[in-house]
């Protein structure tokens, strides 16, 4: 289950991903996840299993929030 801070962080990060031209999927260690479709002009959150990702990323929930808030380097996440 996601918490409010996780979803707020993801929503805030969406505009920063507008030039990625790919689908990212964050697989969390509790079996849940989030997917971001950054292929179009508008970057959107989509259901994690609805699209095949170009880049699946395994990360714990706390590190996901740190990553999208810019508090953690991607290579460390």
């Amino acid at each position: 289950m996601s918490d409010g801070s996780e979803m707020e962080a993801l929503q805030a990060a969406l505009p920063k991903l507008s030039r990625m031209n790919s689908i990212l999927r964050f697989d969390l260690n509790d079996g849940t996840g989030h997917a971001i479709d950054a292929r179009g002009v508008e970057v959107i959150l989509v259901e994690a299993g609805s699209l095949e990702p170009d880049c699946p990323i395994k990360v714990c929930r706390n590190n996901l929030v740190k990553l999208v808030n810019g508090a953690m380097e991607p290579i460390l996440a």
Side-chain angles (χ1 to χ4, degrees):
M1 174 191 287
S2 64
D3 63 21
S5 63
E6 177 184 331
M7 294 307 293
E8 288 175 19
L10 284 169
Q11 288 290 346
L14 293 180
K16 299 174 192 174
L17 303 173
S18 64
R19 296 184 311 192
M20 291 209 60
N21 195 31
S22 60
I23 299 168
L24 305 173
R25 186 182 69 219
F26 296 99
D27 296 326
L28 303 177
N29 56 357
D30 64 2
T32 64
H34 303 286
I36 297 172
D37 185 349
R39 296 177 295 170
V41 175
E42 182 181 359
V43 180
I44 57 172
L45 282 172
V46 295
E47 188 175 328
S50 64
L51 297 171
E52 185 65 31
D54 297 303
C55 182
I57 302 166
K58 291 186 179 193
V59 64
C60 73
R61 188 174 307 283
N62 290 336
N63 286 348
L64 173 60
V65 173
K66 290 177 187 176
L67 177 66
V68 298
N69 283 333
M72 176 179 272
E73 291 295 322
I75 197 71
L76 296 176

